[in-house]
Structures are given as structure tokens and as C-alpha cells.
Amino acid sequence: MTVLHGEGVSRGVASGKLRFLSRNAQAQPRREAADPEAEAARFDKARGEAIVQLAQLYVETRARLGEEQSLLFKIHQMMLEDLDYRETVTGLIRSEKVCAEYAVDQAAAQFSAMFTQMDDRYMRERAADVLDVSRRVIRLLTGREDDALMEAEPAIIAADDLAPSETARLDRERVLAFITAKGSASSHTAIFARTMGIPAVVGLGDSLLEAYSGREVFVDGTSGEVYVEPDAETVAGLQRRRAAEDERRSYLERFRGREAAAPDGRRVLVCANIGSPADLGAALTGDADGVGLFRSEFLYLGRDDFPSEEDQYRAYREAVEAMGGRTVVVRTLDIGADKQADYFRLPREENPAMGMRAIRICLTRPQVFLTQLRALYRASAHGKLAIMFPMITSVAEVRRIKEICAQARRELEAEGKPFDGHAELGIMIETPAAAVISDLLAREVDFFSIGTNDLTQYTLAADRQNAAIEPFCDRHHEAVLRLIRTTVENAHGAGIWAGICGELAADAALTDIFLDMGVDELSMTPGSILEIKARILDR
């Protein structure tokens, strides 16, 4: 028996024969193009065909998995329509006089490397999306389609990685589970697996060998373990795990669609943190009461210039419409620290976590801020949208923010563009300064959302990016909990609501404490929502 260790990303235990998904993943050969303009035209034709395919995949995925899960393929269409992507490919064709396949392959590598090198984990995972859409274009250019996933015999699929479009095509009746050498829990591939109820383990690395193909394996998507030809005793234990997991899943489903309430009868919203419209499917599938944190950085990262008002408006509108009347809290631009964009031309800093980031950038570049606010207010006409500002440390900052918000509203009103003039304005409490003066800040805004990741970092003077000091970063530290309690009490004293959108929101060990504090909302990764609802309702 051999045991492989990875990251379990979709719970459940499955067993069956292992089948490796083989692809022609070799780099495209460089071929000279006698007529670069003809090659550019070939690329544009294949790109157009790929967009049509993605539109069809969107329709098929929507029918199979629901509207929310299909949104990713709209994002993929937008990637192929992106001017930077198109110009990079055609520029390579014309400047180097190379074939379209090679140019697409090189452009995909460039964009993927750019995403991979970003500090923000969400943006790193977008590297898989750009590779996925580029492979689609290359298949169309070469005339080779991959139907390896459509074989008839049920099996456990193994691969170096699975693209989101491949995962969406998985047949639940024929794919018992999947395991990959690469990948992460928050990738769209993992989200699709959870939606379809397919056990999955990713990140197995070099331990996943093609030599295991055809062997009997057990996959535990909870522990992240893969057993190759397990002995009888291990099989018996795994079967007990499978029965327990089935029982747990049935238990959690009892809480789907129910409103969570504190012991005093007060409703507690259990919401989702998301990074782009493509994640809305996970939020709704996870039974979110709304979106408590919509990170807007995806619009700014991985590009060469500032996003336009129209680009932002479309993304925010898509989010509020998809949530169907449930509140979407959008955090304004939080560039800086571990999230960098070269075109901002931010100065290099010794301590960027405490430097020019988030609201400080917005207030020193008011036109960039105003563009985002205009887009947000315009989107508010299509659903329930709230605007939240990060990294606040003073009342003066909030008052200046409100002045710029008022300017955005005046401009839109003068232009005859509809918006919700009563859209809530809130701030993140993620600095000790904001928590200490939360009584003063509460008079200025409609809500607080406590960002426990940064609040813990700044309170304990413990850099959350530094693994070496992890032992000194006690996320249950009494100082952090006292600041949270003070913030909630001051919010309620001023008649506004207070939520938590940091990692502690999903910490079941603290749920009862937060309820006793009077927290009104807990926002977390979508996969944790039913767990926390169950914790609240089954006390």
C-alpha cells in the first residue's frame, strides 16, 4: 500500500481504478510565418470560435450546475475579448514573424507567469484560467480536440491539473473522484468539484506517478489522502469514513435555506467572501445570505492600466443582479502591501503593510477613487449594494470619503444616470486605531465590518505573511477579542450593524463568542457557510 498526501478540496471518500488524463501538453513549436497578417487572421478566427464555444459551455453549465457556476465562462469569454491579450498575441506574430499557435502559447506563458508571481493568492489562481482559454484557442488552431474525459468506464481521474472547463464537463456518473499534482482549494476547479459532489484531492506534487494508472485507489477528499492498493484493514476504515461523511453531508443539508438566529432570536447573516463575479456561483451554492466582502482588486490586478468606469460598472452590476436582492458589500480598492500593480507606480517601501495602501491610495488619487465610486453607485441601481472602505484609522478619513461619495452622486444625478442614493456606506475595522475610536467612527457610517486578518496582524505586531512567526500569532488572543467586542458594542450604541469578514468568521470555536458579543453578520469562504449555520442553529 502507498499513501499519497495532498490537499482535500472536496469532501467524500471514493474508490475505483485510477486513470490518467493524458494531453499533448508540450510547448508549441516555433514556426516561421511567411505571411504574419494571415497568421494574425488565423488567430482572430480561432479566438472567435473559442468565444462561441465558451458561450455554449456557459449555456450547458448553467443547465447542469446552475446560473451561478456558469458565470466563470463569461469571465473566460472576457479574457479572450481583452485587448491586452489579443494585442500580445498579434504583436508576437507580427514582430517575430511566428505562427499563431506559438504566439498564443508564449502569450499564455507570459500572462500565467504574471498572475503566478502576484502575492495575492486569488490572483495567483487566475493563472489556470488564462492557460485554459489559451489551450482552447490552440486546439482550434491545430484541429486537435481532447475528448479523454468522455470515456465510458467509471474511474478516478488523475492529472497534472484540471482546467475549469474540463472539470465542468466531468460526468458525475463516470468520474468517481479526481486527484491532481497541482491546484488549490479556492480554484474554480475545486469549487466545481464541491458543487458536483465529486471527492477531490489536489497538490499531490511529484508523488502522483503515472505508474499508478490502472490500480485500485481510495481517495479521501476530507483528509487529502490517496491510498494506492490499500490493504483490507485500511479499506474497512475508509468505508467507515465514507459512511460518516455521507451522514455529515445529510446533516448539513438540513440547514440549507434556513435563517440563522442567535439565542435571543436576533437574525445573524451568514455571508460569503468572494474575489470576482466568477465566485458568485460558489456563494449561492454555499447558501450565502449575501456577499459580506466582494474584493474589487481583481479589476485592477493583472493589467497595464486603470480599469474604466464601464468595466467596473459591468462587474458590480453582474454581482448584485446575480445575488437576487441579497446585499453585496463591495470593498473599495485595496491595492498595496501584498497586492501590487505596476501602473500605480507606487514607491518601494520598507514596510508596505503599514505604508501607502488601500484608502490611503484612494484619498491621494481622488480621480481613481471617484471613478470606482461612480461605477459602484451606478451598479446600486440594479440590486442591493453597500460600499465598504478599508484600512481606516481616523474620523477625518471617513469624512473626506463621504465628500467624494457626495461628489460622485452629484455627477451622476447631473448626467441623469440612475443610482441608489441610500446605498449603505461602511468601513472595515482592521486597525487597532479604528477599533479604539469605533465609538466616534460609528457616528459617521452605516455599518462596520471587522477584518480580523489585519486586525490580528497589527494588534500582535505579527506579519501574517511571515511564516517564521506563525507560532507567535495567536488568532484567539484576548486583545483581539476585546477589540472586536468593543467595536460591536460601539456600533450598536450608535444604531448601526457590525459584522466580521476575516478568517475568524469561519472559526467554529469562536461562533458562540461572537453571537454573545452581538455580531450581526459573519462572512467567510463559501464552503464554510453551512458549517457555521449548523453551529448557530444547533447550539
Side-chain angles (χ1 to χ4, degrees):
M1 178 179 72
T2 303
V3 183
L4 314 180
H5 299 276
E7 182 180 12
V9 297
S10 182
R11 298 178 67 118
V13 177
S15 60
K17 296 289 186 182
L18 187 66
R19 177 165 62 81
F20 266 79
L21 174 62
S22 298
R23 307 187 195 87
N24 181 12
Q26 295 178 348
Q28 293 298 307
R30 180 186 180 112
R31 288 190 295 103
E32 294 293 322
D35 186 350
E37 291 306 316
E39 285 300 301
R42 278 186 69 229
F43 162 66
D44 272 331
K45 181 174 183 292
R47 186 175 64 90
E49 291 173 356
I51 291 171
V52 171
Q53 285 186 356
L54 287 165
Q56 181 61 33
L57 187 55
Y58 163 78
V59 172
E60 293 172 357
T61 307
R62 182 179 60 185
R64 186 177 173 205
L65 302 179
E67 170 69 27
E68 303 79 22
Q69 294 297 355
S70 65
L71 290 174
L72 171 64
F73 300 111
K74 283 191 174 181
I75 300 298
H76 279 198
Q77 290 177 64
M78 290 170 61
M79 284 183 169
L80 287 178
E81 292 164 350
D82 181 74
L83 189 60
D84 286 342
Y85 180 84
R86 180 176 181 272
E87 289 183 346
T88 298
V89 176
T90 55
L92 284 168
I93 292 171
R94 293 184 175 114
S95 64
E96 299 188 20
K97 295 182 172 55
V98 292
C99 66
E101 295 92 331
Y102 178 79
V104 173
D105 197 29
Q106 293 300 299
Q110 288 179 28
F111 278 84
S112 176
M114 178 180 65
F115 282 120
T116 301
Q117 290 166 10
M118 292 179 180
D119 291 331
D120 183 83
R121 182 178 180 182
Y122 173 82
M123 296 308 298
R124 287 199 302 270
E125 288 162 358
R126 301 293 67 77
D129 293 326
V130 73
L131 290 174
D132 191 4
V133 297
S134 298
R135 280 200 297 259
R136 180 176 296 276
V137 174
I138 289 171
R139 287 199 302 271
L140 287 164
L141 286 166
T142 59
R144 291 196 297 269
E145 280 293 339
D146 180 11
D147 291 323
L149 287 173
M150 309 309 289
E151 293 184 14
E153 289 300 316
I156 291 172
I157 298 296
D160 180 56
D161 202 357
L162 279 172
S165 60
E166 291 173 325
T167 314
R169 293 167 56 212
L170 295 178
D171 185 337
R172 186 64 183 89
E173 298 302 314
R174 289 183 283 186
V175 178
L176 306 173
F178 72 76
I179 59 178
T180 63
K182 300 177 182 177
S184 72
S186 55
S187 67
H188 290 297
T189 295
I191 292 168
F192 282 164
R194 289 192 287 272
T195 301
M196 294 185 286
I198 298 176
V201 174
V202 302
L204 290 164
D206 294 338
S207 67
L208 182 55
L209 305 175
E210 287 203 40
Y212 298 139
S213 186
R215 300 191 189 182
E216 188 75 18
V217 300
F218 269 75
V219 175
D220 188 336
T222 304
S223 69
E225 295 168 323
V226 177
Y227 299 82
V228 182
E229 297 182 332
D231 55 41
E233 184 179 351
T234 301
V235 168
L238 287 165
Q239 288 173 340
R240 287 192 294 272
R241 286 193 210 176
R242 178 154 49 194
E245 180 59 30
D246 290 344
E247 184 178 345
R248 171 194 164 277
R249 189 170 294 165
S250 297
Y251 164 74
L252 290 180
E253 284 299 319
R254 290 165 42 197
F255 301 96
R256 182 177 296 279
R258 293 174 59 184
E259 293 185 356
D264 59 6
R266 172 179 49 86
R267 186 177 182 193
V268 178
L269 296 176
V270 187
C271 297
N273 296 340
I274 66 172
S276 83
D279 297 332
L280 289 163
L284 290 167
T285 302
D287 200 35
D289 294 323
V291 173
L293 171 61
F294 182 0
R295 304 177 182 91
S296 63
E297 292 78 60
F298 78 99
L299 287 160
Y300 296 83
L301 297 172
R303 56 189 302 144
D304 296 325
D305 202 356
F306 296 96
S308 69
E309 180 181 319
E310 287 302 316
D311 287 342
Q312 296 189 62
Y313 163 65
R314 286 194 296 268
Y316 305 141
R317 176 177 176 174
E318 184 176 353
V320 295
E321 287 181 337
M323 291 308 293
R326 283 165 280 194
T327 300
V328 176
V329 179
V330 181
R331 181 180 70 187
T332 58
L333 175 63
D334 191 7
I335 290 288
D338 61 332
K339 297 184 283 290
Q340 297 287 331
D342 290 343
Y343 61 89
F344 273 81
R345 302 188 185 282
L346 297 174
R348 185 171 295 278
E349 297 175 303
E350 290 294 326
N351 192 349
M354 295 188 179
M356 187 58 71
R357 61 171 294 196
I359 202 63
R360 296 168 181 173
I361 293 175
C362 291
L363 293 180
T364 54
R365 304 189 187 194
Q367 191 54 51
V368 173
F369 193 28
L370 182 62
T371 298
Q372 182 173 32
L373 290 172
R374 283 174 54 94
L376 285 165
Y377 272 115
R378 287 175 60 195
S380 71
H382 302 280
K384 196 169 181 182
L385 183 145
I387 308 172
M388 180 166 69
F389 308 100
M391 285 298 295
I392 298 299
T393 61
S394 72
V395 172
E397 290 169 342
V398 177
R399 289 177 178 166
R400 177 59 183 140
I401 289 166
K402 291 165 69 176
E403 290 173 358
I404 301 174
C405 287
Q407 179 184 347
R409 294 193 298 269
R410 286 194 302 271
E411 289 182 4
L412 293 173
E413 187 172 16
E415 296 166 15
K417 293 179 178 176
F419 64 92
D420 179 5
H422 301 289
E424 287 188 318
L425 300 179
I427 61 172
M428 291 191 72
I429 304 294
E430 50 190 339
T431 66
V436 170
I437 64 166
S438 54
D439 57 330
L440 305 178
L441 293 170
R443 302 171 192 170
E444 304 289 335
V445 296
D446 300 308
F447 67 92
F448 287 157
S449 187
I450 303 167
T452 56
N453 300 350
D454 271 326
L455 184 62
T456 301
Q457 168 177 249
Y458 293 132
T459 302
L460 303 184
D463 182 358
R464 60 192 178 100
Q465 304 293 332
N466 186 346
I469 61 171
E470 178 69 22
F472 301 98
C473 190
D474 178 6
R475 290 173 175 78
H476 292 191
H477 197 290
E478 183 61 27
V480 176
L481 296 179
R482 287 188 186 187
L483 288 175
I484 294 172
R485 183 180 294 277
T486 295
T487 298
V488 175
E489 289 175 353
N490 286 333
H492 291 169
I496 68 172
W497 62 269
I500 296 175
C501 65
E503 289 182 11
L504 292 187
D507 189 336
L510 294 175
T511 301
D512 290 352
I513 293 173
F514 291 152
L515 294 181
D516 291 340
M517 288 181 182
V519 170
D520 302 292
E521 178 208 68
L522 295 168
S523 192
M524 61 202 67
T525 55
S528 299
I529 290 171
L530 281 179
E531 294 272 4
I532 296 302
K533 280 194 174 184
R535 177 73 181 183
I536 295 171
L537 290 166
D538 198 16
R539 283 161 57 103

